[in-house]
Amino acid sequence: MATDLAAWLAEAIADAEARGLPALVPLLQSLARSLQSLRDADVELGHPAATHFTAADDADDAR
Amino acid sequence: MPTTPGSLREAAALIEQKALSPVELTRACLDRIASRNERLRAFITVMAEQALADAARAEREIANNRYRGPLHGIPVSVKDLVDIAGTPTTSGSAVPPRRPQHDAPVVSRLRAAGAIIVGKTNLHEFAYGTTTDETAFGAVRNPHDDSRSAGGSSAGAAVAVLDGMCYGSVGTDTGGSIRIPAAACGITGLKPTHGEIPVDGVVPLSTTFDHVGPMARTVTDTAVMFQAMLEAEASWTRVPPAAEGPLWLGVPGGYFLDKLDTDVARLFLSARGALEAAGHSISDVSIAHAARTPDVYLAIMLPEASWYHAPLLRDYADKYSPGVRLRLEMGRRVLAEDYLRGMHARSVLIRSVDRALEGLDALLLPGLAIAAPPLGASSVEINGITEPIRSAMLRQTQMFNVTGHPAIAMPCGTGQDGLPRAIQLVGHRGATERLLAVAAAVERQIAGGAGSVGGGAG
């Protein structure tokens, strides 16, 4: 899992436990997997910034 | 008093002929509610006094030749997520209710068409579930087997129609909440095109996905309810007739057929075969990125639901059902970046469904992947694999909330367990009336199946 969602999850779990909501933890873990899956689909789903990755790869290949 | 009519259409014909009194019909529905509701829990609020007064006024109008149309004098119900002036909107919750001073527009329109509102139906708390066993008013029981869920969240609305407590219901649908209980109970339920029926005066769950729609015993009954909800009046001459000539239907594979219980798969194939034998063309199609639907749905629905409930959670967190509260708390953590990612992905899915529908009258797929589950179940086994109950129940329906295409669930037979199964038709956006015409034609071919509550087109 990318560092940023991992950090998000850690913070969310800590908050859930501090508020006495341990039952929230598995839901947050499931949500994190879902959000990561959607992030991983950025290129597949045509994220408008995806062309930046493609352009950088082409430039590297040219060198 | 004659035997109570079996469908809205039959009741309307008798009322128009002055062969059936709206007061007697309303009283029969109220008696049915009184005898059955304690067990089934379809209704939260029964509006007996007002309903009988409205029925008496309808009777006077009809006697004076001021007949408004097929809904005049017909008892209907409204999901208790929808405002009716002077009646609390409980949302199925112990959280303090809304106390509206005005009818929601959809209610005003039904009243203008002459419908008699008999009460407000039970639902999964704040519409945030598919089983209606998280509600402050007792789990709704399925009349086919009262140890089973009637689906959700519009379970009370579905049961009220199935059990003869009324002739049509107003439901809402954010992930499948009209079509899932319709499928679980063996009636018909329509989610119109997004935005077609106003959601003003309806407690929101997810504004991007919320729809209001009708539930009734047959496609024709559903169509006349839809017309009134759209236009504040109804007329048989403007209800779309069954589409003529061969239909062109597409069956999306993969994601929509991968996880079905045995009887759902069998009865779906049987319905497909019956339609092909009747001369309709059925092709296999693909909806690009369909498998992304649950992730897109969560990224958008969770924060939108939590946004509405944030002020209520501050003061009334302990009043919510535990499961609903946890889902709302979860939604508050979704980052804006992921919400916007979901909104972008939604636009991709809309184009995917549009492309799949090109050249077709409608998509054809199962309406619900499983039979009505046992009350309290948190998971279900499908062909040996355990699935969480919510994702199993949302699988067939939620994509069309994401994209806003109109979709209708209709019974297609009974499983070996005695429980109904359903198909679903999905139409072009903005063409809900065409979808109803297609559905009426399809109903003629499959309505003869065992367990079809409507007993045929009409």
Side-chain angles (χ1 to χ4, degrees):
Chain A
M1 189 175 296
T3 303
D4 50 3
L5 264 182
W8 169 89
L9 180 60
E11 185 192 349
I13 289 174
D15 178 66
E17 289 172 343
R19 294 171 61 212
L21 295 172
L24 192 51
V25 174
L27 296 181
L28 290 168
Q29 291 167 332
S30 175
L31 176 58
R33 286 191 292 272
S34 175
L35 295 176
Q36 186 63 57
S37 176
L38 205 53
R39 290 184 178 201
D40 291 343
D42 274 344
V43 173
E44 174 197 333
L45 294 174
H47 190 293
T51 53
H52 289 269
F53 316 141
T54 307
D57 288 345
D58 288 346
D60 285 342
D61 287 345
R63 284 196 288 272
Chain B
M1 172 67 185
T3 304
T4 307
S7 72
L8 189 159
R9 184 169 192 150
E10 290 168 25
L14 290 169
I15 288 176
E16 185 180 9
Q17 295 160 18
K18 301 176 186 174
L20 177 61
S21 155
V23 173
E24 292 303 318
L25 184 62
T26 299
R27 192 168 282 132
C29 288
L30 292 170
D31 288 345
R32 183 75 177 170
I33 295 169
S35 72
R36 300 276 286 167
N37 198 54
E38 188 174 342
R39 182 68 184 158
L40 297 178
R41 304 187 196 125
F43 282 84
I44 292 173
T45 301
V46 181
M47 299 160 59
E49 196 176 319
Q50 184 64 54
L52 288 168
D54 292 343
R57 183 172 60 250
E59 192 157 316
R60 286 193 298 274
E61 289 176 351
I62 294 166
N64 291 327
N65 298 318
R66 298 204 310 271
Y67 181 65
R68 299 190 195 192
L71 278 181
H72 204 175
I74 297 291
V76 303
S77 70
V78 175
K79 183 179 185 179
D80 202 8
L81 203 67
V82 181
D83 287 342
I84 294 181
T87 308
T89 303
T90 70
S91 307
S93 179
V95 171
R98 296 195 336 184
R99 298 195 178 272
Q101 298 192 336
H102 305 286
D103 287 344
V106 67
V107 171
S108 301
R109 292 175 182 185
L110 286 169
R111 289 196 199 275
I116 309 301
I117 299 172
V118 291
K120 304 199 75 186
T121 54
N122 202 351
L123 65 155
H124 204 116
E125 187 180 24
F126 285 109
Y128 209 159
T130 59
T131 53
T132 318
D133 48 13
E134 290 178 312
T135 160
F137 298 90
V140 178
R141 297 178 185 275
N142 193 317
H144 292 285
D145 175 346
D146 65 10
S147 73
R148 299 259 175 175
S149 163
S153 60
S154 309
V159 169
V161 165
L162 172 66
D163 205 63
M165 300 176 181
C166 65
Y167 285 87
S169 290
V170 175
T172 70
D173 193 316
T174 300
S177 289
I178 284 173
R179 292 160 290 155
I180 292 169
C185 291
I187 65 163
T188 298
L190 170 71
K191 181 195 74 65
T193 300
H194 187 250
E196 205 160 17
I197 305 292
V199 293
D200 306 275
V202 180
V203 177
L205 176 60
S206 171
T207 53
T208 301
F209 299 152
D210 288 342
H211 297 67
V212 179
M215 306 168 77
R217 289 192 147 221
T218 68
V219 172
T220 300
D221 289 0
T222 301
V224 86
M225 284 280 293
F226 172 67
Q227 191 182 113
M229 292 164 72
L230 191 65
E231 300 174 352
E233 59 181 3
S235 161
W236 290 121
T237 59
R238 293 189 358 258
V239 169
E244 302 206 348
L247 297 172
W248 297 82
L249 304 174
V251 174
Y255 175 77
F256 292 103
L257 300 181
D258 280 348
K259 295 180 183 178
L260 302 174
D261 92 358
T262 305
D263 277 328
V264 170
R266 176 177 63 80
L267 288 167
F268 178 71
L269 283 177
S270 176
R272 176 175 180 162
L275 291 165
E276 287 174 317
H280 302 299
S281 171
I282 306 196
S283 56
D284 295 315
V285 300
S286 173
I287 302 180
H289 314 296
R292 297 292 178 191
T293 298
D295 298 327
V296 175
Y297 180 81
L298 286 179
I300 297 171
M301 188 279 292
L302 288 177
E304 289 189 351
S306 298
W307 165 76
Y308 177 81
H309 286 272
L312 297 174
L313 284 169
R314 268 200 306 269
D315 296 329
Y316 304 114
D318 60 340
K319 299 288 188 189
Y320 286 81
S321 302
V324 171
R325 186 204 167 173
L326 288 175
R327 294 195 285 281
L328 290 169
E329 295 283 2
M330 177 171 62
R332 300 176 82 177
R333 307 298 306 200
V334 174
L335 297 171
E337 172 196 333
D338 293 299
Y339 174 77
L340 292 168
R341 177 176 278 105
M343 292 298 273
H344 167 77
R346 173 178 177 247
S347 67
V348 174
L349 294 182
I350 290 172
R351 288 196 295 277
S352 290
V353 177
D354 283 344
R355 273 198 295 275
L357 274 165
E358 282 174 6
L360 298 176
D361 292 298
L363 300 176
L364 170 70
L365 63 159
L368 180 62
I370 60 172
L375 283 167
S378 59
S379 64
V380 62
E381 196 170 293
I382 305 176
N383 301 327
I385 299 174
T386 300
E387 296 272 341
I389 199 83
R390 277 173 53 81
S391 57
M393 295 182 84
L394 290 169
R395 189 176 182 86
Q396 306 299 118
T397 53
Q398 71 186 160
M399 183 170 205
F400 312 108
N401 295 83
V402 172
T403 66
H405 289 77
I408 185 168
M410 316 159 39
C412 69
T414 303
Q416 293 181 346
D417 48 18
L419 296 168
R421 306 299 198 274
I423 61 163
Q424 182 181 201
L425 292 164
V426 179
H428 295 262
R429 278 178 303 137
T432 305
E433 291 186 346
R434 173 61 184 172
L435 175 65
L436 285 163
V438 171
V442 168
E443 186 185 54
R444 287 178 176 172
Q445 306 305 325
I446 66 168
S452 171
V453 172

